[in-house]
Amino acid sequence: MPAIERYNIAMCNAPVRPAFNADGTLCNKTLQANIALCCARIKHAAECCNAKVVVFPEFTFTGYQQMDYEGWLKASVTMPGPETEAFAEVAAATGTYVVIQAAETHPDIPGRYFLSSALLTPSGEVGMVYRKNYAISLRTSPNDVFTQYTRVFGESGFFPVYACELGNIGMLIGAEPHWPEAVRSLALNGAELIVNSVASLNGVDYMQREGAASVRGVRAFENQLYFAMANVQGELAAASACFDYNGKSIAVEAAGDDDLVIAEIDITALREARKKPATNFLAQLQPAIHSPVQQYPLWPSDVFAQAPAADAIALLKVEQDAWQRFLSAEDKHPLVREN
């Protein structure tokens, strides 16, 4: 592989305002102001910080508001669409890759909204869209409509990776790094840099669990990749962060910018590190001794194929039912049966 020069990644938490009308639709005036603010920050990151990748938090240009499923469905955008086009123009003008996140609808899966991240490329296109798989919330997860989703996007649509001149980029949303399987899936699909859009006003975990503060650095270490997180602004919000392939925190605040954090990415060094003897955890995986996860009777696929979850209680019931099935003697995997 050709050597890749080191480059900067910028995590930007621009102070956008919630852009929702009373009926849940998007307020165009506020929306356009938010987009203009974010686009100005992309230009600044590229010109003043030499950033080649700019990552925004969750709800990048819409902000967040407590709403029901129908409200978020009304406030959803398409990818590509007018909103992504505005960011794509700036990505092309600045020669940067830009990651934004929003509620998204797709014409081939009507009546549903996903929480999705889009990667805009220097060619002015949507290079890749990632739809949030993990974490309990009322948005539709690809697994909720597994059969329909795979028919539209194929089995590779769950953890896609974008290969480009800066390396191989994967995306996660919110608390998904809490599931090591999500990061490992991206790593095995080739990811060398994972970008994570987050919206957590209480630390980095809305449940304030202490281990959450360590997760992203650990995921970087165990998969030998770079991991960058962009979080929203807030008095108790965790700062945006970036970890290298050794799990070391490498992000620094940009001079004079309280909403911009910068880190240097060295993909060539990462690739060389993966070649060192006795250090590559991915190469040392031993698939034959691990029972496939699919054998365990945990969270089912297509559980909300007919209609979205009515409320959080419905989601929690799926979780509790899955755990009871796992613990039951008749359904338990033979290797974990009690003596």
mmCIF file of all heavy atoms in Angstrom, residues 275-322:
data_model
loop_
_atom_site.group_PDB
_atom_site.id
_atom_site.type_symbol
_atom_site.label_atom_id
_atom_site.label_comp_id
_atom_site.label_asym_id
_atom_site.label_seq_id
_atom_site.Cartn_x
_atom_site.Cartn_y
_atom_site.Cartn_z
ATOM 1 N N LYS A 275 1.880 -4.563 11.492
ATOM 2 C CA LYS A 275 2.805 -5.560 10.960
ATOM 3 C C LYS A 275 3.769 -6.098 12.022
ATOM 4 O O LYS A 275 4.428 -7.117 11.803
ATOM 5 C CB LYS A 275 3.636 -4.954 9.822
ATOM 6 C CG LYS A 275 2.835 -4.568 8.584
ATOM 7 C CD LYS A 275 3.764 -3.910 7.561
ATOM 8 C CE LYS A 275 2.998 -3.432 6.340
ATOM 9 N NZ LYS A 275 3.907 -2.756 5.367
ATOM 10 N N LYS A 276 3.867 -5.405 13.166
ATOM 11 C CA LYS A 276 4.835 -5.807 14.177
ATOM 12 C C LYS A 276 4.446 -7.144 14.795
ATOM 13 O O LYS A 276 3.272 -7.396 15.059
ATOM 14 C CB LYS A 276 4.945 -4.737 15.260
ATOM 15 C CG LYS A 276 5.560 -3.434 14.775
ATOM 16 C CD LYS A 276 5.641 -2.409 15.897
ATOM 17 C CE LYS A 276 6.264 -1.109 15.400
ATOM 18 N NZ LYS A 276 6.322 -0.082 16.473
ATOM 19 N N PRO A 277 5.424 -8.019 15.039
ATOM 20 C CA PRO A 277 5.129 -9.326 15.619
ATOM 21 C C PRO A 277 4.457 -9.219 16.987
ATOM 22 O O PRO A 277 4.780 -8.340 17.786
ATOM 23 C CB PRO A 277 6.521 -9.974 15.744
ATOM 24 C CG PRO A 277 7.363 -9.252 14.756
ATOM 25 C CD PRO A 277 6.846 -7.844 14.739
ATOM 26 N N ALA A 278 3.480 -10.080 17.196
ATOM 27 C CA ALA A 278 2.818 -10.251 18.503
ATOM 28 C C ALA A 278 2.009 -9.044 18.952
ATOM 29 O O ALA A 278 1.714 -8.899 20.140
ATOM 30 C CB ALA A 278 3.844 -10.612 19.575
ATOM 31 N N THR A 279 1.618 -8.167 18.036
ATOM 32 C CA THR A 279 0.859 -6.985 18.436
ATOM 33 C C THR A 279 -0.509 -6.868 17.760
ATOM 34 O O THR A 279 -1.344 -6.094 18.219
ATOM 35 C CB THR A 279 1.640 -5.698 18.120
ATOM 36 O OG1 THR A 279 1.860 -5.603 16.707
ATOM 37 C CG2 THR A 279 2.978 -5.683 18.849
ATOM 38 N N ASN A 280 -0.737 -7.604 16.676
ATOM 39 C CA ASN A 280 -1.956 -7.426 15.897
ATOM 40 C C ASN A 280 -3.079 -8.302 16.446
ATOM 41 O O ASN A 280 -3.160 -9.495 16.176
ATOM 42 C CB ASN A 280 -1.684 -7.756 14.420
ATOM 43 C CG ASN A 280 -2.828 -7.309 13.533
ATOM 44 O OD1 ASN A 280 -3.997 -7.433 13.890
ATOM 45 N ND2 ASN A 280 -2.496 -6.784 12.367
ATOM 46 N N PHE A 281 -3.966 -7.683 17.240
ATOM 47 C CA PHE A 281 -5.063 -8.434 17.841
ATOM 48 C C PHE A 281 -6.022 -8.993 16.799
ATOM 49 O O PHE A 281 -6.615 -10.063 16.995
ATOM 50 C CB PHE A 281 -5.833 -7.548 18.817
ATOM 51 C CG PHE A 281 -5.008 -7.038 19.955
ATOM 52 C CD1 PHE A 281 -4.997 -5.694 20.275
ATOM 53 C CD2 PHE A 281 -4.243 -7.899 20.718
ATOM 54 C CE1 PHE A 281 -4.235 -5.212 21.324
ATOM 55 C CE2 PHE A 281 -3.477 -7.443 21.778
ATOM 56 C CZ PHE A 281 -3.470 -6.092 22.081
ATOM 57 N N LEU A 282 -6.199 -8.282 15.693
ATOM 58 C CA LEU A 282 -7.107 -8.760 14.652
ATOM 59 C C LEU A 282 -6.572 -10.030 14.010
ATOM 60 O O LEU A 282 -7.303 -11.007 13.808
ATOM 61 C CB LEU A 282 -7.318 -7.669 13.595
ATOM 62 C CG LEU A 282 -7.973 -6.379 14.080
ATOM 63 C CD1 LEU A 282 -8.006 -5.352 12.956
ATOM 64 C CD2 LEU A 282 -9.383 -6.639 14.597
ATOM 65 N N ALA A 283 -5.274 -10.026 13.698
ATOM 66 C CA ALA A 283 -4.674 -11.206 13.064
ATOM 67 C C ALA A 283 -4.664 -12.403 14.004
ATOM 68 O O ALA A 283 -4.694 -13.558 13.554
ATOM 69 C CB ALA A 283 -3.248 -10.888 12.628
ATOM 70 N N GLN A 284 -4.651 -12.136 15.309
ATOM 71 C CA GLN A 284 -4.577 -13.211 16.282
ATOM 72 C C GLN A 284 -5.937 -13.777 16.676
ATOM 73 O O GLN A 284 -6.017 -14.721 17.476
ATOM 74 C CB GLN A 284 -3.847 -12.722 17.537
ATOM 75 C CG GLN A 284 -2.381 -12.395 17.308
ATOM 76 C CD GLN A 284 -1.732 -11.780 18.535
ATOM 77 O OE1 GLN A 284 -2.102 -12.066 19.662
ATOM 78 N NE2 GLN A 284 -0.765 -10.907 18.303
ATOM 79 N N LEU A 285 -7.009 -13.230 16.140
ATOM 80 C CA LEU A 285 -8.332 -13.792 16.414
ATOM 81 C C LEU A 285 -8.383 -15.256 15.976
ATOM 82 O O LEU A 285 -7.864 -15.618 14.921
ATOM 83 C CB LEU A 285 -9.411 -13.007 15.668
ATOM 84 C CG LEU A 285 -9.836 -11.679 16.288
ATOM 85 C CD1 LEU A 285 -10.788 -10.961 15.353
ATOM 86 C CD2 LEU A 285 -10.496 -11.907 17.634
ATOM 87 N N GLN A 286 -9.040 -16.085 16.767
ATOM 88 C CA GLN A 286 -9.141 -17.523 16.495
ATOM 89 C C GLN A 286 -10.618 -17.898 16.323
ATOM 90 O O GLN A 286 -11.275 -18.358 17.268
ATOM 91 C CB GLN A 286 -8.506 -18.312 17.635
ATOM 92 C CG GLN A 286 -7.047 -17.929 17.875
ATOM 93 C CD GLN A 286 -6.467 -18.599 19.100
ATOM 94 O OE1 GLN A 286 -6.616 -19.808 19.292
ATOM 95 N NE2 GLN A 286 -5.801 -17.815 19.934
ATOM 96 N N PRO A 287 -11.175 -17.698 15.135
ATOM 97 C CA PRO A 287 -12.616 -17.882 14.915
ATOM 98 C C PRO A 287 -13.131 -19.271 15.288
ATOM 99 O O PRO A 287 -14.263 -19.409 15.748
ATOM 100 C CB PRO A 287 -12.773 -17.621 13.408
ATOM 101 C CG PRO A 287 -11.603 -16.783 13.048
ATOM 102 C CD PRO A 287 -10.480 -17.245 13.920
ATOM 103 N N ALA A 288 -12.305 -20.296 15.109
ATOM 104 C CA ALA A 288 -12.784 -21.659 15.325
ATOM 105 C C ALA A 288 -13.174 -21.933 16.769
ATOM 106 O O ALA A 288 -13.979 -22.830 17.039
ATOM 107 C CB ALA A 288 -11.710 -22.656 14.887
ATOM 108 N N ILE A 289 -12.614 -21.188 17.720
ATOM 109 C CA ILE A 289 -12.914 -21.478 19.122
ATOM 110 C C ILE A 289 -14.024 -20.595 19.674
ATOM 111 O O ILE A 289 -14.365 -20.687 20.856
ATOM 112 C CB ILE A 289 -11.654 -21.333 20.004
ATOM 113 C CG1 ILE A 289 -11.167 -19.878 20.049
ATOM 114 C CG2 ILE A 289 -10.542 -22.249 19.506
ATOM 115 C CD1 ILE A 289 -10.032 -19.641 21.044
ATOM 116 N N HIS A 290 -14.579 -19.735 18.848
ATOM 117 C CA HIS A 290 -15.670 -18.864 19.301
ATOM 118 C C HIS A 290 -16.985 -19.321 18.686
ATOM 119 O O HIS A 290 -17.121 -19.387 17.468
ATOM 120 C CB HIS A 290 -15.395 -17.414 18.898
ATOM 121 C CG HIS A 290 -14.156 -16.852 19.511
ATOM 122 N ND1 HIS A 290 -14.083 -16.477 20.825
ATOM 123 C CD2 HIS A 290 -12.919 -16.620 18.993
ATOM 124 C CE1 HIS A 290 -12.875 -16.027 21.098
ATOM 125 N NE2 HIS A 290 -12.140 -16.111 19.994
ATOM 126 N N SER A 291 -17.965 -19.600 19.525
ATOM 127 C CA SER A 291 -19.279 -19.963 19.006
ATOM 128 C C SER A 291 -19.890 -18.742 18.323
ATOM 129 O O SER A 291 -19.839 -17.638 18.863
ATOM 130 C CB SER A 291 -20.191 -20.425 20.130
ATOM 131 O OG SER A 291 -19.689 -21.585 20.732
ATOM 132 N N PRO A 292 -20.491 -18.928 17.164
ATOM 133 C CA PRO A 292 -21.101 -17.783 16.478
ATOM 134 C C PRO A 292 -22.157 -17.112 17.336
ATOM 135 O O PRO A 292 -22.966 -17.766 17.986
ATOM 136 C CB PRO A 292 -21.723 -18.419 15.231
ATOM 137 C CG PRO A 292 -20.966 -19.692 15.030
ATOM 138 C CD PRO A 292 -20.611 -20.166 16.394
ATOM 139 N N VAL A 293 -22.138 -15.791 17.338
ATOM 140 C CA VAL A 293 -23.112 -15.036 18.123
ATOM 141 C C VAL A 293 -24.533 -15.359 17.689
ATOM 142 O O VAL A 293 -25.465 -15.343 18.494
ATOM 143 C CB VAL A 293 -22.822 -13.526 17.986
ATOM 144 C CG1 VAL A 293 -23.898 -12.698 18.676
ATOM 145 C CG2 VAL A 293 -21.454 -13.194 18.581
ATOM 146 N N GLN A 294 -24.708 -15.698 16.397
ATOM 147 C CA GLN A 294 -26.043 -15.973 15.880
ATOM 148 C C GLN A 294 -26.731 -17.134 16.587
ATOM 149 O O GLN A 294 -27.951 -17.271 16.520
ATOM 150 C CB GLN A 294 -25.991 -16.269 14.367
ATOM 151 C CG GLN A 294 -25.636 -15.066 13.521
ATOM 152 C CD GLN A 294 -24.132 -14.993 13.287
ATOM 153 O OE1 GLN A 294 -23.348 -15.430 14.122
ATOM 154 N NE2 GLN A 294 -23.723 -14.442 12.142
ATOM 155 N N GLN A 295 -25.966 -17.997 17.260
ATOM 156 C CA GLN A 295 -26.565 -19.150 17.935
ATOM 157 C C GLN A 295 -27.278 -18.772 19.233
ATOM 158 O O GLN A 295 -28.081 -19.546 19.741
ATOM 159 C CB GLN A 295 -25.487 -20.195 18.245
ATOM 160 C CG GLN A 295 -24.906 -20.865 17.011
ATOM 161 C CD GLN A 295 -23.962 -21.992 17.383
ATOM 162 O OE1 GLN A 295 -24.000 -22.496 18.496
ATOM 163 N NE2 GLN A 295 -23.109 -22.376 16.447
ATOM 164 N N TYR A 296 -26.992 -17.591 19.754
ATOM 165 C CA TYR A 296 -27.560 -17.220 21.036
ATOM 166 C C TYR A 296 -28.925 -16.557 20.854
ATOM 167 O O TYR A 296 -29.092 -15.684 20.003
ATOM 168 C CB TYR A 296 -26.614 -16.282 21.781
ATOM 169 C CG TYR A 296 -25.332 -16.947 22.201
ATOM 170 C CD1 TYR A 296 -24.205 -16.896 21.396
ATOM 171 C CD2 TYR A 296 -25.262 -17.655 23.388
ATOM 172 C CE1 TYR A 296 -23.023 -17.522 21.779
ATOM 173 C CE2 TYR A 296 -24.088 -18.286 23.778
ATOM 174 C CZ TYR A 296 -22.971 -18.215 22.969
ATOM 175 O OH TYR A 296 -21.815 -18.841 23.345
ATOM 176 N N PRO A 297 -29.902 -16.930 21.680
ATOM 177 C CA PRO A 297 -31.268 -16.393 21.529
ATOM 178 C C PRO A 297 -31.410 -15.028 22.191
ATOM 179 O O PRO A 297 -32.145 -14.854 23.170
ATOM 180 C CB PRO A 297 -32.113 -17.448 22.236
ATOM 181 C CG PRO A 297 -31.225 -17.971 23.316
ATOM 182 C CD PRO A 297 -29.831 -17.951 22.744
ATOM 183 N N LEU A 298 -30.691 -14.046 21.656
ATOM 184 C CA LEU A 298 -30.725 -12.709 22.234
ATOM 185 C C LEU A 298 -31.669 -11.819 21.422
ATOM 186 O O LEU A 298 -32.713 -12.260 20.996
ATOM 187 C CB LEU A 298 -29.299 -12.162 22.323
ATOM 188 C CG LEU A 298 -28.420 -12.944 23.327
ATOM 189 C CD1 LEU A 298 -26.960 -12.573 23.182
ATOM 190 C CD2 LEU A 298 -28.888 -12.726 24.762
ATOM 191 N N TRP A 299 -31.319 -10.561 21.217
ATOM 192 C CA TRP A 299 -32.232 -9.617 20.545
ATOM 193 C C TRP A 299 -32.565 -10.123 19.142
ATOM 194 O O TRP A 299 -31.665 -10.326 18.326
ATOM 195 C CB TRP A 299 -31.578 -8.241 20.464
ATOM 196 C CG TRP A 299 -32.541 -7.132 20.150
ATOM 197 C CD1 TRP A 299 -33.097 -6.857 18.944
ATOM 198 C CD2 TRP A 299 -33.052 -6.157 21.054
ATOM 199 N NE1 TRP A 299 -33.923 -5.765 19.028
ATOM 200 C CE2 TRP A 299 -33.918 -5.314 20.322
ATOM 201 C CE3 TRP A 299 -32.862 -5.913 22.418
ATOM 202 C CZ2 TRP A 299 -34.590 -4.244 20.912
ATOM 203 C CZ3 TRP A 299 -33.526 -4.835 22.993
ATOM 204 C CH2 TRP A 299 -34.382 -4.018 22.239
ATOM 205 N N PRO A 300 -33.839 -10.317 18.826
ATOM 206 C CA PRO A 300 -34.212 -10.907 17.531
ATOM 207 C C PRO A 300 -34.193 -9.902 16.387
ATOM 208 O O PRO A 300 -34.292 -8.691 16.588
ATOM 209 C CB PRO A 300 -35.638 -11.405 17.784
ATOM 210 C CG PRO A 300 -36.172 -10.444 18.817
ATOM 211 C CD PRO A 300 -34.998 -10.078 19.692
ATOM 212 N N SER A 301 -34.064 -10.415 15.178
ATOM 213 C CA SER A 301 -34.185 -9.596 13.964
ATOM 214 C C SER A 301 -35.658 -9.475 13.583
ATOM 215 O O SER A 301 -36.487 -10.308 13.956
ATOM 216 C CB SER A 301 -33.410 -10.229 12.809
ATOM 217 O OG SER A 301 -32.036 -10.281 13.097
ATOM 218 N N ASP A 302 -35.973 -8.417 12.836
ATOM 219 C CA ASP A 302 -37.336 -8.181 12.330
ATOM 220 C C ASP A 302 -38.373 -8.057 13.442
ATOM 221 O O ASP A 302 -39.567 -8.254 13.207
ATOM 222 C CB ASP A 302 -37.749 -9.293 11.355
ATOM 223 C CG ASP A 302 -37.152 -9.118 9.973
ATOM 224 O OD1 ASP A 302 -36.938 -7.947 9.562
ATOM 225 O OD2 ASP A 302 -36.890 -10.125 9.298
ATOM 226 N N VAL A 303 -37.942 -7.713 14.661
ATOM 227 C CA VAL A 303 -38.881 -7.664 15.781
ATOM 228 C C VAL A 303 -39.900 -6.536 15.619
ATOM 229 O O VAL A 303 -41.010 -6.621 16.139
ATOM 230 C CB VAL A 303 -38.107 -7.539 17.115
ATOM 231 C CG1 VAL A 303 -37.364 -6.221 17.213
ATOM 232 C CG2 VAL A 303 -39.031 -7.742 18.297
ATOM 233 N N PHE A 304 -39.534 -5.492 14.887
ATOM 234 C CA PHE A 304 -40.486 -4.412 14.616
ATOM 235 C C PHE A 304 -40.677 -4.240 13.110
ATOM 236 O O PHE A 304 -40.770 -3.119 12.604
ATOM 237 C CB PHE A 304 -40.002 -3.110 15.253
ATOM 238 C CG PHE A 304 -39.947 -3.168 16.752
ATOM 239 C CD1 PHE A 304 -38.723 -3.124 17.422
ATOM 240 C CD2 PHE A 304 -41.109 -3.290 17.500
ATOM 241 C CE1 PHE A 304 -38.669 -3.194 18.802
ATOM 242 C CE2 PHE A 304 -41.059 -3.353 18.893
ATOM 243 C CZ PHE A 304 -39.834 -3.313 19.543
ATOM 244 N N ALA A 305 -40.735 -5.363 12.405
ATOM 245 C CA ALA A 305 -40.871 -5.319 10.948
ATOM 246 C C ALA A 305 -42.216 -4.763 10.510
ATOM 247 O O ALA A 305 -42.319 -4.117 9.462
ATOM 248 C CB ALA A 305 -40.667 -6.717 10.364
ATOM 249 N N GLN A 306 -43.255 -4.997 11.291
ATOM 250 C CA GLN A 306 -44.598 -4.571 10.890
ATOM 251 C C GLN A 306 -44.901 -3.128 11.261
ATOM 252 O O GLN A 306 -45.636 -2.441 10.555
ATOM 253 C CB GLN A 306 -45.643 -5.502 11.520
ATOM 254 C CG GLN A 306 -45.474 -6.964 11.149
ATOM 255 C CD GLN A 306 -45.432 -7.192 9.651
ATOM 256 O OE1 GLN A 306 -46.275 -6.665 8.910
ATOM 257 N NE2 GLN A 306 -44.450 -7.951 9.195
ATOM 258 N N ALA A 307 -44.345 -2.676 12.369
ATOM 259 C CA ALA A 307 -44.590 -1.305 12.838
ATOM 260 C C ALA A 307 -43.487 -0.911 13.807
ATOM 261 O O ALA A 307 -42.899 -1.777 14.470
ATOM 262 C CB ALA A 307 -45.952 -1.213 13.524
ATOM 263 N N PRO A 308 -43.170 0.377 13.913
ATOM 264 C CA PRO A 308 -42.151 0.812 14.878
ATOM 265 C C PRO A 308 -42.575 0.495 16.306
ATOM 266 O O PRO A 308 -43.758 0.301 16.593
ATOM 267 C CB PRO A 308 -42.073 2.331 14.653
ATOM 268 C CG PRO A 308 -42.692 2.564 13.314
ATOM 269 C CD PRO A 308 -43.714 1.500 13.134
ATOM 270 N N ALA A 309 -41.614 0.441 17.201
ATOM 271 C CA ALA A 309 -41.915 0.250 18.616
ATOM 272 C C ALA A 309 -42.831 1.367 19.104
ATOM 273 O O ALA A 309 -42.614 2.542 18.798
ATOM 274 C CB ALA A 309 -40.625 0.226 19.428
ATOM 275 N N ALA A 310 -43.849 1.000 19.857
ATOM 276 C CA ALA A 310 -44.823 1.991 20.301
ATOM 277 C C ALA A 310 -44.236 2.949 21.317
ATOM 278 O O ALA A 310 -44.567 4.134 21.340
ATOM 279 C CB ALA A 310 -46.046 1.288 20.888
ATOM 280 N N ASP A 311 -43.357 2.442 22.172
ATOM 281 C CA ASP A 311 -42.767 3.271 23.213
ATOM 282 C C ASP A 311 -41.537 2.566 23.776
ATOM 283 O O ASP A 311 -41.193 1.454 23.360
ATOM 284 C CB ASP A 311 -43.777 3.569 24.328
ATOM 285 C CG ASP A 311 -44.487 2.305 24.826
ATOM 286 O OD1 ASP A 311 -43.843 1.221 24.843
ATOM 287 O OD2 ASP A 311 -45.663 2.388 25.191
ATOM 288 N N ALA A 312 -40.894 3.192 24.745
ATOM 289 C CA ALA A 312 -39.694 2.605 25.338
ATOM 290 C C ALA A 312 -40.004 1.314 26.078
ATOM 291 O O ALA A 312 -39.157 0.416 26.161
ATOM 292 C CB ALA A 312 -39.047 3.615 26.290
ATOM 293 N N ILE A 313 -41.212 1.203 26.606
ATOM 294 C CA ILE A 313 -41.596 -0.022 27.321
ATOM 295 C C ILE A 313 -41.539 -1.220 26.386
ATOM 296 O O ILE A 313 -41.097 -2.307 26.782
ATOM 297 C CB ILE A 313 -43.008 0.138 27.928
ATOM 298 C CG1 ILE A 313 -42.989 1.215 29.011
ATOM 299 C CG2 ILE A 313 -43.505 -1.189 28.502
ATOM 300 C CD1 ILE A 313 -44.358 1.549 29.569
ATOM 301 N N ALA A 314 -41.946 -1.025 25.133
ATOM 302 C CA ALA A 314 -41.899 -2.121 24.160
ATOM 303 C C ALA A 314 -40.463 -2.557 23.893
ATOM 304 O O ALA A 314 -40.177 -3.751 23.754
ATOM 305 C CB ALA A 314 -42.578 -1.685 22.862
ATOM 306 N N LEU A 315 -39.561 -1.600 23.838
ATOM 307 C CA LEU A 315 -38.143 -1.930 23.627
ATOM 308 C C LEU A 315 -37.556 -2.671 24.819
ATOM 309 O O LEU A 315 -36.834 -3.663 24.663
ATOM 310 C CB LEU A 315 -37.346 -0.647 23.374
ATOM 311 C CG LEU A 315 -37.635 0.088 22.067
ATOM 312 C CD1 LEU A 315 -37.030 1.477 22.098
ATOM 313 C CD2 LEU A 315 -37.101 -0.684 20.879
ATOM 314 N N LEU A 316 -37.882 -2.205 26.007
ATOM 315 C CA LEU A 316 -37.358 -2.847 27.202
ATOM 316 C C LEU A 316 -37.917 -4.255 27.376
ATOM 317 O O LEU A 316 -37.236 -5.138 27.913
ATOM 318 C CB LEU A 316 -37.670 -1.997 28.437
ATOM 319 C CG LEU A 316 -36.970 -0.638 28.464
ATOM 320 C CD1 LEU A 316 -37.433 0.184 29.663
ATOM 321 C CD2 LEU A 316 -35.459 -0.804 28.485
ATOM 322 N N LYS A 317 -39.133 -4.482 26.906
ATOM 323 C CA LYS A 317 -39.703 -5.833 26.971
ATOM 324 C C LYS A 317 -38.923 -6.789 26.065
ATOM 325 O O LYS A 317 -38.679 -7.946 26.429
ATOM 326 C CB LYS A 317 -41.174 -5.822 26.570
ATOM 327 C CG LYS A 317 -41.851 -7.197 26.729
ATOM 328 C CD LYS A 317 -43.319 -7.145 26.396
ATOM 329 C CE LYS A 317 -43.980 -8.478 26.717
ATOM 330 N NZ LYS A 317 -43.335 -9.651 26.087
ATOM 331 N N VAL A 318 -38.512 -6.313 24.876
ATOM 332 C CA VAL A 318 -37.697 -7.142 23.990
ATOM 333 C C VAL A 318 -36.389 -7.511 24.686
ATOM 334 O O VAL A 318 -35.945 -8.665 24.641
ATOM 335 C CB VAL A 318 -37.410 -6.414 22.657
ATOM 336 C CG1 VAL A 318 -36.470 -7.245 21.786
ATOM 337 C CG2 VAL A 318 -38.709 -6.146 21.908
ATOM 338 N N GLU A 319 -35.778 -6.529 25.352
ATOM 339 C CA GLU A 319 -34.529 -6.779 26.062
ATOM 340 C C GLU A 319 -34.712 -7.827 27.153
ATOM 341 O O GLU A 319 -33.929 -8.786 27.264
ATOM 342 C CB GLU A 319 -34.016 -5.478 26.678
ATOM 343 C CG GLU A 319 -32.742 -5.645 27.501
ATOM 344 C CD GLU A 319 -32.435 -4.422 28.332
ATOM 345 O OE1 GLU A 319 -33.310 -3.993 29.118
ATOM 346 O OE2 GLU A 319 -31.330 -3.887 28.190
ATOM 347 N N GLN A 320 -35.750 -7.656 27.980
ATOM 348 C CA GLN A 320 -35.970 -8.579 29.091
ATOM 349 C C GLN A 320 -36.332 -9.977 28.602
ATOM 350 O O GLN A 320 -35.873 -10.989 29.153
ATOM 351 C CB GLN A 320 -37.067 -8.034 30.012
ATOM 352 C CG GLN A 320 -36.687 -6.745 30.720
ATOM 353 C CD GLN A 320 -35.416 -6.892 31.541
ATOM 354 O OE1 GLN A 320 -35.294 -7.820 32.329
ATOM 355 N NE2 GLN A 320 -34.461 -5.983 31.335
ATOM 356 N N ASP A 321 -37.150 -10.057 27.556
ATOM 357 C CA ASP A 321 -37.515 -11.359 26.993
ATOM 358 C C ASP A 321 -36.286 -12.068 26.433
ATOM 359 O O ASP A 321 -36.133 -13.285 26.590
ATOM 360 C CB ASP A 321 -38.560 -11.193 25.892
ATOM 361 C CG ASP A 321 -39.930 -10.815 26.446
ATOM 362 O OD1 ASP A 321 -40.110 -10.890 27.685
ATOM 363 O OD2 ASP A 321 -40.798 -10.432 25.644
ATOM 364 N N ALA A 322 -35.405 -11.306 25.790
ATOM 365 C CA ALA A 322 -34.197 -11.902 25.219
ATOM 366 C C ALA A 322 -33.314 -12.475 26.327
ATOM 367 O O ALA A 322 -32.767 -13.582 26.204
ATOM 368 C CB ALA A 322 -33.423 -10.856 24.414
#
